[in-house]
């Protein structure tokens, strides 16, 4: 396990939100926050790195790619305020990991139980594509966060980018991994030698949900599996 320089996830989040390591992403996230989408013209955009969100004792960790320009980059909470988030939190709610399916802003009352939501890169990238150097810059935040999620045992990766980022983290932490890396596919389940499990899902982006590549049933089945793997230790309030 990578030793974290932070005492807690709260401390990590406090430091993360001031990060300006990636010049291109800093400029982009702030430009989007200044110019805004017309439908959110009255919103006060977050425009900063987005911390992980959820239960700090979580067994389930959901990993995405990066904040959406007018979603998490606007609201300041992971997967909040966009269509992907609607799919994600509805699925988490239906599987018993969330107290509500609605996710519209940081004060909407949403609470997660036994689940944590994060992403490999913390600043919204142009066209949802971080460069390799931006991904590498942000890996230290991702590594430190996962090290602090000490009860994590099921990693649910939304999309191939999240999967490959998680695999990089696991390799760096000297976990005995299958070789070669299993291919990405919806519903793929990878049991690690140390008892942890990696679950793979298509990302609930509109590119996948509008085209029917990812259906509600397909998405729900992965979260139902995550629920079985984490047991019924706790239900969302
Ligand atoms: Fe910092 Fe990560 Fe944002 Fe780059 S992407 S500025 S490393 S928080």
């Amino acid at each position: 396990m990578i030793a974290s320089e932070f005492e807690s996830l709260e401390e990590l989040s406090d430091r993360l939100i001031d990060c300006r390591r990636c010049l291109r992403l800093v400029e982009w996230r702030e430009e989007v926050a200044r110019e805004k989408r017309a439908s959110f013209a009255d919103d006060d955009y977050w425009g900063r790195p987005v911390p992980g969100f959820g239960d700090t004792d979580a067994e389930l960790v959901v990993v995405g790619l990066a904040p959406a320009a007018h979603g998490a980059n606007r609201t300041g909470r992971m997967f909040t305020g966009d269509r992907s988030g609607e799919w994600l939190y509805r699925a988490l709610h239906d599987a018993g990991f969330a107290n509500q399916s609605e996710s519209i802003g940081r004060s909407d009352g949403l609470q997660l139980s036994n689940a944590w939501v994060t992403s490999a890169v913390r600043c919204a990238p142009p066209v949802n594509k971080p460069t390799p150097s931006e991904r590498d810059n942000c890996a230290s935040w991702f590594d430190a966060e996962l090290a602090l999620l000490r009860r994590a045992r099921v990693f649910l990766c939304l999309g191939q980018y999240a999967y490959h980022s998680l695999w990089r983290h696991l390799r760096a932490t000297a976990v005995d991994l299958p070789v070669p890396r299993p291919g990405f596919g919806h519903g793929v389940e990878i049991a690690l030698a140390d008892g942890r499990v990696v679950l793979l899902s298509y990302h609930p982006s509109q590119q996948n949900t509008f085209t029917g590549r990812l259906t509600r049933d397909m998405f729900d089945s992965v979260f139902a599996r995550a629920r079985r793997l984490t047991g019924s230790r706790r239900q969302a309030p």
Side-chain angles (χ1 to χ4, degrees):
M1 190 68 74
I2 291 174
S4 175
E5 63 179 286
F6 305 104
E7 293 287 321
S8 67
L9 287 158
E10 291 76 14
E11 184 190 345
L12 183 149
S13 295
D14 287 348
R15 292 267 299 281
L16 168 76
I17 61 175
D18 290 329
C19 184
R20 303 182 68 82
R21 206 176 291 165
C22 308
L23 183 60
R24 185 184 80 116
L25 297 190
V26 171
E27 287 178 353
W28 175 250
R29 76 192 192 203
E30 294 179 355
E31 181 184 323
V32 169
R34 264 193 320 275
E35 297 188 353
K36 306 182 182 183
R37 178 178 282 170
S39 51
F40 302 124
D42 294 334
D43 286 23
D44 188 12
Y45 272 56
W46 175 253
R48 301 172 78 170
V50 180
F53 166 66
D55 180 350
T56 55
D57 285 330
E59 292 175 289
L60 172 66
V61 179
V62 179
V63 183
L65 191 169
H70 301 280
N73 187 56
R74 174 173 59 89
T75 63
R77 193 175 69 194
M78 280 289 165
F79 280 92
T80 295
D82 61 16
R83 298 274 184 213
S84 297
E86 286 176 17
W87 273 62
L88 173 61
Y89 289 113
R90 187 199 52 76
L92 283 167
H93 178 250
D94 289 355
F97 292 105
N99 67 329
Q100 61 186 45
S101 56
E102 186 176 72
S103 172
I104 55 174
R106 294 204 306 284
S107 55
D108 61 12
L110 176 64
Q111 293 175 43
L112 301 186
S113 177
N114 210 14
W116 182 264
V117 179
T118 189
S119 63
V121 173
R122 303 313 176 90
C123 294
V127 293
N128 286 326
K129 285 196 177 134
T131 64
S133 64
E134 289 161 355
R135 177 203 63 205
D136 292 347
N137 283 346
C138 219
S140 61
W141 293 113
F142 188 50
D143 291 340
E145 181 181 53
L146 293 182
L148 286 164
L149 288 162
R150 297 190 173 92
R151 295 181 56 87
R153 52 186 305 274
V154 177
F155 301 96
L156 201 172
C157 300
L158 302 178
Q160 184 164 272
Y161 191 98
Y163 171 42
H164 291 178
S165 298
L166 177 72
W167 206 257
R168 233 173 259 113
H169 163 80
L170 293 171
R171 196 183 289 130
T173 54
V175 175
D176 187 12
L177 297 175
V179 179
R181 181 182 62 204
F184 179 81
H186 185 80
V188 169
E189 180 172 331
I190 305 158
L192 304 180
D194 62 8
R196 294 185 292 174
V197 175
V198 178
L199 289 176
L200 307 183
S201 168
Y202 292 148
H203 192 285
S205 64
Q206 290 185 314
Q207 201 177 7
N208 288 330
T209 57
F210 275 15
T211 58
R213 184 168 189 247
L214 178 65
T215 65
R216 294 272 191 203
D217 284 350
M218 288 168 68
F219 202 48
D220 287 349
S221 70
V222 176
F223 285 84
R225 180 61 182 149
R227 167 52 68 194
R228 288 195 295 279
L229 287 167
T230 55
S232 53
R233 181 170 63 88
R234 283 175 295 162
Q235 294 288 321

